[in-house]
Amino acid sequence: MWDEFAEGARLLGRGLAMYGRSPRLLLLGLIPAVISFLLLGTAWFFLLWFIRDLSAAATWFADDWGAPWRGLTRFGAGAGIVIVSALVSVLTYTALTLLIGDPFYEVISERIEERLGGTPGMSDLPWYRTILKNAADSIRLIALGIVVAVPLFVLGFVPVLGQTVVPVLDAVVGGWLLAVELTGVPFNRRGLRLKDRRAMLRANRPMALGFGMPVFVILLIPFAAILVVPTAVAGSTLLTRKLFGLPVDKPAPLPASRRSSCAGRPQPLRFTAGRSGPPSRCGSPDPRLRS
């Protein structure tokens, strides 16, 4: 379990190394991240500016309480609002950045796959044909994050528990949703959708959390958030390749017979929920793994 968790974190670090080697890719990835950062940064400014008013409004029932209990209740409410806002804003920032920069991040992901031997079963659909479906998937993930954030908000009222356990749960939930969100670029290139991502990541949950939780924590650091999304797109490409049994360090050469038969004609990638393994003919999964 912990080995898989560490492998997920290693793939994120390797994605940073591969992404940072190309100044052109670095610039491409920063443009949409900066735009999203300015939008979400403005929202956070107003949230923190009015946090006392929001805490008081959320704890209207404590207006007549004594000073110590009223203050503790409103402190818990404020902490809950910040924790919930952190989860929702991280998911929103990531989804918004990926939506704005979809063609840029598609280029980053595709070039990384080309360095490692290409994308078996690559879909021929251009980015503008899939952007609406990608946006719908992102909205579904944000909505799920909001639903999960409600009980976390309630737990934020509990002294000590709300300031210790809840942030950890926040990171676990946020890390999982980010892993699902960020792998959308390489999965979409293979013609696979949200349910396919969930199934494969669920079968490799420790690795997904090892990748997603560090991303979640880094996204909470204001200016680091600008760099982490394009880096995470690179890392999610490696994570996707790992799930499909493809090389993540160097391309694996094909036998001569398969090179001649597969050259120049990508084949559709057949997906088996909850299973992953090495590709067989022209990128299709090993038939031994089919249900």
Side-chain angles (χ1 to χ4, degrees), residues 37 86 90 93 214-228:
F37 178 79
V90 163
Y93 172 78
V215 175
F216 179 85
V217 173
I218 298 172
L219 280 171
L220 297 177
I221 305 172
F223 292 101
I226 296 176
L227 180 62
V228 73

Side-chain angles (χ1 to χ4, degrees), residues 21 74 94 98 105 108 124 128 130 152 191-192 216 253 267 278:
R21 289 190 193 124
R74 287 182 175 171
T94 305
L98 292 176
Y105 295 133
I108 292 173
D124 294 329
Y128 54 84
T130 61
L152 294 178
L192 303 176
F216 179 85
Q267 301 295 319

Side-chain angles (χ1 to χ4, degrees), residues 107-161:
V107 170
I108 292 173
S109 181
E110 186 173 355
R111 289 187 182 178
I112 287 176
E113 296 230 51
E114 287 175 354
R115 293 179 191 175
L116 297 172
T119 308
M122 183 175 66
S123 172
D124 294 329
L125 290 176
W127 66 269
Y128 54 84
R129 295 281 301 275
T130 61
I131 192 169
L132 292 179
K133 292 181 180 179
N134 298 345
D137 289 344
S138 296
I139 292 172
R140 290 172 63 186
L141 288 173
I142 293 173
L144 178 60
I146 293 173
V147 171
V148 173
V150 172
L152 294 178
F153 173 72
V154 174
L155 288 175
F157 284 88
V158 182
V160 182
L161 180 69

